[in-house]
Amino acid sequence: MPCKQNRLMTMNIPLLSAHHHDFPDVATAITERDGLVAIGGDLSLPRLLAAYRQGIFPWYGENDPLCWWALSPRMVLLPENLHIPRSLAKKIRNSTYTVTLNHAFAEVIAQCAAVPRAGQNGT
């Protein structure tokens, strides 16, 4: 999905302002540009937060422009709506594994980045 220069030339893609952190409409990006919301901007904290709040994320390759993507939602799981059946709760209680959340975030990211992928030289 990284932005390739020749692919970008065939699309009418919004360019992000260097001074504003507003993004174009995500629904239009999904229906008209395979999820490509915009190109440009930067990876500043305000821009990233504005993007993530809308389900937009940066994804680009080395020597490619900074591209911002939003994929068609597949599922949203809200913890307050999660129902764990009794049989699953019992299985969790009686098993030897542990379920954690963000217990070793940096280590997990480092290990994921270290896994070689056929045909890819990056994350």
Side-chain angles (χ1 to χ4, degrees), residues 84-95 97:
I84 300 176
R86 273 187 302 189
S87 59
L88 178 57
K90 181 179 176 183
K91 182 83 168 159
I92 292 170
R93 279 193 308 274
N94 297 330
S95 296
Y97 59 87

Side-chain angles (χ1 to χ4, degrees), residues 20-120:
H20 301 286
H21 298 126
D22 298 330
F23 283 89
D25 181 55
V26 170
T28 302
I30 291 170
T31 59
E32 296 180 10
R33 295 185 300 276
D34 295 326
L36 180 55
V37 177
I39 60 173
D42 57 22
L43 295 174
S44 67
L45 184 58
R47 188 177 306 275
L48 285 171
L49 290 174
Y52 292 160
R53 284 186 187 108
Q54 298 175 70
I56 300 170
F57 59 94
W59 190 5
Y60 56 98
E62 190 174 337
N63 300 320
D64 288 336
L66 179 55
C67 298
W68 297 89
W69 297 87
L71 301 178
S72 182
R74 306 244 180 352
M75 183 184 94
V76 175
L77 177 61
L78 302 174
E80 62 269 16
N81 296 337
L82 178 63
H83 170 71
I84 300 176
R86 273 187 302 189
S87 59
L88 178 57
K90 181 179 176 183
K91 182 83 168 159
I92 292 170
R93 279 193 308 274
N94 297 330
S95 296
T96 57
Y97 59 87
T98 304
V99 177
T100 62
L101 177 67
N102 286 339
H103 180 72
F105 182 80
E107 293 86 354
V108 169
I109 295 300
Q111 289 296 315
C112 288
V115 173
R117 292 164 191 79
Q120 297 182 8

